[in-house]
Amino acid sequence: MTHTQLFIMSLTSPKKLGAVRFMPIGKVLQYAFLLVTILTVFSFARFTTGVTDSTLDMSGLMEYVEDIRFLLYPVAFILLFIVNTLLLFARISLYALVGTLFMHSMQRRGEYRNVWRTATFAITWATLLSIVFEFVPIPAIITTSIAIFITMLFIFIGLTKYPKLPPTTK
């Protein structure tokens, strides 16, 4: 599957998220870095517009920023990429941990690595919504709650497609 197909699938059909557990980890990591790149480009755009807007009234600082702009922007982009990577992978890992607990309580067969793959695709809506919510004056606790709810709902729907554990005989 192409990255575009994976992106559309992760947005439109949470039932197929159970099938991504068989996907090679390389493809899953590529998709995760695609999400990181989207976040970084958005964050960098916000950073570049924020620097010029917030420093207009301070001529000395604006002059300094103009002098080091050739260094400031590449370093800022690299740092944003690293921070976004760290945060996204931590979020995916936490969602996968909670999803693993759900999986065991639902008596489904799977491992943490399978749920991690499912969580990587389930986090797509939360990632896009975090970008959209930057433009909407909603408190951060509400936007975070919405993102968590949607991601966990997609993981839960994906986990329903995992095979059930065989009945234990005693």
Side-chain angles (χ1 to χ4, degrees):
M1 292 182 89
T2 66
H3 294 296
T4 306
Q5 291 170 328
L6 289 172
F7 185 75
I8 292 169
M9 181 268 309
S10 65
L11 291 175
T12 58
S13 55
K15 290 181 179 181
K16 290 184 181 178
L17 291 179
V20 298
R21 70 181 184 275
F22 298 121
M23 191 169 288
I25 192 66
K27 193 69 153 176
V28 175
L29 289 175
Q30 286 175 0
Y31 185 80
F33 279 108
L34 176 70
L35 290 178
V36 168
T37 304
I38 291 169
L39 275 175
T40 303
V41 167
F42 173 74
S43 299
F44 186 70
R46 295 282 295 193
F47 172 76
T48 57
T49 58
V51 166
T52 57
D53 292 343
S54 64
T55 58
L56 287 178
D57 56 346
M58 296 180 250
S59 59
L61 182 59
M62 187 61 180
E63 222 173 273
Y64 180 70
V65 168
E66 288 293 330
D67 290 342
I68 64 164
R69 188 167 294 212
F70 69 96
L71 284 177
L72 180 67
Y73 289 150
V75 170
F77 186 83
I78 291 168
L79 286 175
L80 281 170
F81 189 83
I82 291 169
V83 168
N84 283 335
T85 301
L86 176 69
L87 291 175
L88 188 77
F89 276 74
R91 285 173 46 199
I92 290 170
S93 298
L94 286 174
Y95 285 133
L97 179 66
V98 174
T100 303
L101 297 175
F102 277 154
M103 180 185 63
H104 291 303
S105 67
M106 295 167 57
Q107 299 294 310
R108 300 292 176 166
R109 190 174 62 214
E111 298 175 1
Y112 175 80
R113 64 189 175 121
N114 303 124
V115 182
W116 198 92
R117 289 176 175 137
T118 301
T120 301
F121 291 96
I123 205 167
T124 304
W125 268 112
T127 304
L128 295 178
L129 287 176
S130 69
I131 292 171
V132 170
F133 285 150
E134 285 292 320
F135 299 107
V136 180
I138 298 175
I141 189 74
I142 294 173
T143 59
T144 303
S145 299
I146 292 170
I148 290 170
F149 176 76
I150 290 172
T151 303
M152 290 311 299
L153 178 68
F154 272 50
I155 290 172
F156 185 78
I157 292 170
L159 289 175
T160 61
K161 302 304 173 190
Y162 279 38
K164 290 187 178 187
L165 285 173
T168 57
T169 57
K170 291 186 182 183

